[in-house]
């Protein structure tokens, strides 16, 4: 079955008693027991809620995993995964990582004895060189935020398997609709479900999909113990969003390809990062492993003065945090999403004071180009 069809069908099998097409929102903290020592399968909503489970079951199918887990945010999902490790363990992670993930690693979990090495995870040999006897996992973004480098997941999975390491892939930018990390050898896929999966800029959520049932039991133990679960209302919103994932991403990618090509030829644009462009370093690899190139674009304007001009002059494209929703959004990574990355690392990576990140929405592509064009005019 095509994944777009699977996405539309999420939750349809759930309510066999009434046949409800939309999964009910079980807004309850606790569940009545039918008798002493008996359970309906649900006892307390931190441990399991029918609405959340419907989302988790559907997401496991979409990503071809053993189990999935829904969290109160993408950061909560990553934090919960770090509970798999112990003081003294080492992880190799993507260097141009989302700033919030970097903050979580270096400012929170570092104080508990976890250590992290930042490397270009699109370079397998760089990852290999960073491994130590204490390394327990590689954490890579499939398509990095914001520079859109692409990880060779099959090669990384071979490296990790040979060393008995976990491979965790943040697949937020591509989603299972375009890329299934577990099919390519990853052990765990993690998502900020606030982005493309929910798709409407109206909820905060995180999702984790685990390939192996035994590892999934460990992840569930930590989810339940720490209580970082997604509530039933937000679980329902994410499911509603997933139903239109295919049609949304098809339109967003179509728009992104047009805009990237237009930006590349604009005199006020110094550089464009988009994997759908043939001169992008990861273009061939993305084409090999993914069903599409995504709908995120990063670009450098010719001068720093143009940054504020573009951010304040766009009319359709909102100057706002986040990405992946139906509305187009633009941000300035250096002072917004990636401010927690050390200055010297930002400079080396190219996250500079002329770089803008554009999340392309489902508006008419020509209208978005017109909006950018008027914002770039002096």
């Amino acid at each position: 079955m095509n994944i777009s069809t699977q996405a539309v069908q999420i939750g349809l099998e759930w309510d066999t008693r009434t046949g409800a097409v939309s999964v009910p929102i079980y807004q309850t903290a606790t569940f009545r027991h039918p008798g002493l020592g008996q359970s309906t399968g649900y006892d307390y909503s931190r441990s399991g809620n029918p609405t959340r489970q419907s989302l988790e079951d559907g997401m496991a199918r979409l990503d071809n995993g053993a189990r999935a887990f829904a969290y109160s945010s993408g950061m909560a999902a990553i934090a919960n995964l770090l509970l798999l490790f112990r003081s003294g363990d080492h992880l190799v992670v993507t260097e141009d990582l989302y700033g919030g993930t970097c903050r979580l690693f270096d400012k929170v979990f570092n104080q508990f004895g976890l250590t992290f090495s930042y490397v270009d995870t699109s370079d397998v040999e760089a990852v290999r060189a960073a491994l130590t006897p204490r390394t327990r996992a590689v954490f890579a973004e499939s398509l990095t935020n914001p520079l859109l480098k692409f990880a060779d997941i099959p090669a990384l999975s071979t490296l990790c398997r040979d060393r008995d390491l976990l491979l965790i892939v943040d697949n937020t930018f591509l989603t299972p609709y375009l890329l299934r990390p577990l099919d390519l050898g990853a052990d765990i896929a993690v998502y900020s479900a606030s982005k493309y999966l929910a798709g409407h800029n109206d909820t905060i959520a995180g999702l984790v999909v685990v390939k192996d049932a035994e590892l999934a039991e460990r992840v569930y133990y930590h989810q339940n113990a720490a209580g970082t679960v997604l509530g039933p209302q937000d679980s329902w919103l994410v499911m509603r969003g997933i139903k239109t994932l295919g049609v949304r991403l098809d339109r967003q990618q179509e728009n992104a390809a047009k805009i990237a090509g237009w930006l590349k030829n604009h005199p006020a644009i110094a550089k464009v990062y988009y994997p759908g462009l043939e001169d992008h370093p990861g273009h061939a690899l993305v084409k090999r492993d993914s069903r599409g190139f995504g709908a995120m674009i990063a670009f450098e304007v010719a001068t720093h003065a143009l940054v504020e001009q573009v951010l304040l002059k766009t009319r359709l494209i909102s100057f706002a945090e986040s990405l992946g929703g139906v509305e187009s959004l633009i941000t300035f990574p250096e002072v917004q999403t990636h401010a927690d990355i050390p200055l010297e690392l930002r400079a080396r990576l190219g996250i500079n004071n002329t770089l803008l990140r554009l999340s392309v929405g489902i508006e008419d592509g020509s209208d978005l180009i017109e909006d950018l064009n008027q914002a770039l005019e002096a």
Side-chain angles (χ1 to χ4, degrees):
M1 186 186 297
N2 190 286
I3 191 168
S4 60
T5 302
Q6 286 181 286
V8 173
Q9 296 287 310
I10 190 169
L12 273 179
E13 80 295 340
W14 185 256
D15 192 343
T16 56
R17 185 175 65 85
T18 69
V21 173
S22 179
V23 176
I25 300 171
Y26 288 86
Q27 193 67 54
T28 182
T30 191
F31 302 84
R32 188 173 60 194
H33 297 295
L36 186 62
Q38 298 177 32
S39 171
T40 61
Y42 299 97
D43 303 310
Y44 188 60
S45 273
R46 171 170 49 78
S47 303
N49 177 281
T51 314
R52 187 172 80 242
Q53 188 177 339
S54 182
L55 167 62
E56 292 173 337
D57 290 349
M59 191 64 190
R61 288 192 297 271
L62 280 184
D63 229 345
N64 205 19
R67 288 180 70 178
F69 305 93
Y71 297 87
S72 54
S73 69
M75 297 314 306
I78 295 172
N80 217 237
L81 289 178
L82 292 180
L83 299 178
L84 293 169
F85 306 104
R86 300 178 179 180
S87 180
D89 286 350
H90 171 255
L91 287 81
V92 176
V93 303
T94 295
E95 60 180 2
D96 58 317
L97 196 66
Y98 167 56
T101 309
C102 181
R103 178 179 58 222
L104 182 71
F105 289 169
D106 288 347
K107 303 292 193 236
V108 180
F109 278 90
N110 190 263
Q111 66 183 326
F112 299 119
L114 295 186
T115 59
F116 306 89
S117 293
Y118 293 85
V119 303
D120 181 354
T121 49
S122 69
D123 181 347
V124 177
E125 292 310 309
V127 174
R128 189 191 309 275
L131 299 178
T132 77
R134 303 305 301 266
T135 304
R136 298 292 179 264
V138 173
F139 183 101
E141 291 180 342
S142 55
L143 201 57
T144 65
N145 180 3
L147 297 175
L148 303 174
K149 294 180 181 179
F150 188 69
D152 188 340
I153 298 173
L156 288 176
S157 70
T158 298
L159 176 63
C160 289
R161 190 165 55 248
D162 290 345
R163 304 291 185 95
D164 196 25
L165 309 176
L166 288 178
L167 176 57
I168 303 169
V169 176
D170 184 331
N171 193 38
T172 296
F173 276 18
L174 292 175
T175 81
Y177 181 68
L178 298 179
L179 180 77
R180 284 172 160 167
L182 306 188
D183 286 352
L184 298 177
D187 299 291
I188 298 173
V190 60
Y191 300 88
S192 173
S194 319
K195 312 302 192 291
Y196 289 102
L197 293 172
H200 292 79
N201 292 319
D202 58 7
T203 189
I204 301 294
L207 282 162
V208 163
V209 187
V210 184
K211 185 175 185 177
D212 174 74
E214 184 177 344
L215 179 59
E217 279 297 321
R218 294 171 59 199
V219 173
Y220 172 70
Y221 179 86
H222 292 304
Q223 183 199 39
N224 183 46
T228 52
V229 296
L230 188 63
Q233 175 72 36
D234 288 332
S235 295
W236 186 87
L237 284 170
V238 175
M239 274 190 287
R240 185 186 65 172
I242 288 175
K243 287 177 178 290
T244 60
L245 177 63
V247 292
R248 285 188 286 106
L249 261 174
D250 285 346
R251 176 61 172 263
Q252 287 167 302
Q253 287 189 112
E254 179 187 344
N255 283 345
K258 292 176 182 176
I259 292 168
W262 178 83
L263 285 169
K264 190 177 177 184
N265 295 309
H266 195 285
I269 303 301
K271 190 171 185 178
V272 179
Y273 301 84
Y274 180 65
L277 296 173
E278 291 190 1
D279 60 356
H280 185 279
H283 176 80
L285 197 58
V286 180
K287 196 171 183 179
R288 184 195 75 183
D289 291 343
S290 177
R291 296 178 66 247
F293 299 105
M296 296 299 300
I297 301 171
F299 61 95
E300 294 178 19
V301 290
T303 66
H304 178 60
L306 277 172
V307 168
E308 185 172 9
Q309 177 179 315
V310 170
L311 293 175
L312 298 184
K313 282 188 67 179
T314 50
R315 298 166 185 153
L316 291 177
I317 303 168
S318 296
F319 174 28
E321 306 275 348
S322 199
L323 58 99
V326 292
E327 303 91 354
S328 295
L329 305 176
I330 193 166
T331 59
F332 183 30
E334 187 186 57
V335 299
Q336 290 181 283
T337 56
H338 290 71
D340 284 295
I341 293 179
L343 177 61
E344 63 276 10
L345 179 57
R346 291 203 308 267
R348 180 171 66 81
L349 294 175
I351 303 172
N352 55 40
N353 69 354
T354 61
L355 182 75
L356 294 170
R357 189 193 72 185
L358 175 64
S359 172
V360 180
I362 66 169
E363 303 93 342
D364 187 279
S366 60
D367 288 334
L368 294 174
I369 288 174
E370 183 179 338
D371 192 33
L372 287 166
N373 190 45
Q374 64 83 25
L376 287 163
E377 289 177 351

